[in-house]
């Protein structure tokens, strides 16, 4: 991995300084919803409704997501050389983030050298612009950052690999994502139960250390 540029390093360090733990983020979203608000600069009834739906979804996933015993044992015993921050750019209205963040949190909790921190995409625009997906500010975007060497080890997002391929294939055939596809994607998330996200992040950690 090449040395991370000073500008990106400064943006990441600033993001970490102003970030939330997973529980702090969940509380923030809850508190905003009490005033019919979402995170981010743009506010609308639609975004608030998405946030409410995602909040319920995350609450359910926090209770139901299970990591396999094999992955749990290997992941918790991985001897990472340095402490790593998983810095996630997201917003409360993002449906993909609602499916991913509870799984990311469960994994991060397994290894004491991984610290999950969460920041708003809209409040960290310059950092987001360095981690675009096909030119888009797609979220969630996880940046794996070595706290000691100040290097970006890898990044992940906005969707698990299988879902990403589903999106690419559908766009190739239909040109854009319609409500039917979005519904099918949610069905896939429900059936997958976080397994593909776990596989992706396990592979990312294994290959970047």
């Amino acid at each position: 991995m090449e040395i991370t540029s000073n500008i990106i390093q400064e943006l990441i360090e600033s993001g970490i300084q102003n970030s939330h733990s997973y529980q702090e983020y969940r509380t923030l979203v809850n508190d905003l919803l009490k005033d019919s608000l979402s995170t981010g600069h743009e506010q609308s009834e639609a975004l608030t409704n998405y946030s409410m739906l995602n909040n319920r979804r995350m609450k359910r996933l926090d209770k139901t997501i299970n990591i396999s015993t094999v992955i749990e044992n290997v992941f918790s015993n991985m001897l990472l050389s340095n402490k790593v921050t998983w810095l996630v750019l997201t917003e409360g209205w993002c449906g993909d983030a609602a499916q991913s963040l509870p799984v990311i949190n469960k994994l991060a909790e397994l290894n004491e050298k991984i610290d999950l921190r969460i920041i708003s995409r809209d409040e960290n625009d310059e950092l987001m612009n360095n981690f675009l997906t096909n030119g888009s500010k797609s979220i969630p975007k996880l940046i794996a950052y070595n706290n000691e060497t100040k290097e970006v080890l890898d990044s992940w997002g906005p969707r698990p690999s299988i879902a990403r391929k589903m999106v690419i294939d559908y766009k190739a055939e239909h040109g854009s994502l319609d409500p039917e596809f979005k519904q099918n994607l949610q069905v896939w998330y429900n059936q997958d139960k976080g397994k593909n996200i776990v596989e992706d992040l396990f592979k990312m950690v294994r290959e970047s250390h």
Side-chain angles (χ1 to χ4, degrees), residues 13-53:
E13 295 279 354
S14 175
I16 293 172
Q17 287 295 318
N18 295 289
S19 65
H20 301 283
S21 68
Y22 181 71
Q23 291 305 322
E24 288 169 346
Y25 172 74
R26 300 284 285 109
T27 299
L28 171 66
V29 171
N30 266 305
D31 288 348
L32 286 170
L33 283 172
K34 291 174 184 176
D35 295 320
S36 298
L37 297 172
S38 180
T39 66
H41 293 163
E42 185 180 348
Q43 298 293 329
S44 69
E45 184 178 353
L47 290 179
T48 298
N49 289 337
Y50 288 140
S51 290
M52 290 179 67
L53 173 63

Side-chain angles (χ1 to χ4, degrees), residues 48-170:
T48 298
N49 289 337
Y50 288 140
S51 290
M52 290 179 67
L53 173 63
N54 291 336
N55 199 40
R56 291 196 297 269
R57 184 173 287 145
M58 290 177 74
K59 187 175 181 180
R60 184 184 76 248
L61 289 171
D62 283 336
K63 294 178 180 177
T64 59
I65 285 293
N66 285 311
I67 309 296
S68 75
T69 304
V70 173
I71 293 289
E72 184 174 319
N73 288 339
V74 174
F75 204 84
S76 60
N77 289 304
M78 272 186 170
L79 298 176
L80 306 185
S81 54
N82 295 315
K83 289 198 171 183
V84 174
T85 296
W86 281 0
L87 185 64
V88 180
L89 293 139
T90 191
E91 297 294 351
W93 44 258
C94 176
D96 289 299
Q99 295 284 357
S100 300
L101 276 172
V103 186
I104 293 170
N105 178 58
K106 293 281 188 186
L107 267 182
E109 287 180 336
L110 292 175
N111 197 299
E112 61 180 10
K113 287 202 170 182
I114 297 176
D115 184 23
L116 173 60
R117 306 299 300 181
I118 300 172
I119 55 176
S120 162
R121 179 195 71 174
D122 291 359
E123 293 175 7
N124 294 273
D125 193 56
E126 195 174 351
L127 177 58
M128 183 75 251
N129 284 333
N130 283 280
F131 292 91
L132 302 178
T133 302
N134 298 323
S136 172
K137 298 178 182 180
S138 301
I139 51 177
K141 179 66 76 167
L142 183 158
I143 304 166
Y145 182 69
N146 188 315
N147 295 353
E148 307 299 326
T149 65
K150 311 299 183 185
E151 290 177 285
V152 174
L153 300 171
D154 210 334
S155 63
W156 177 91
R159 299 181 180 94
S161 54
I162 294 174
R164 188 165 64 245
K165 187 176 186 306
M166 288 169 62
V167 168
I168 292 170
D169 291 348
Y170 199 87

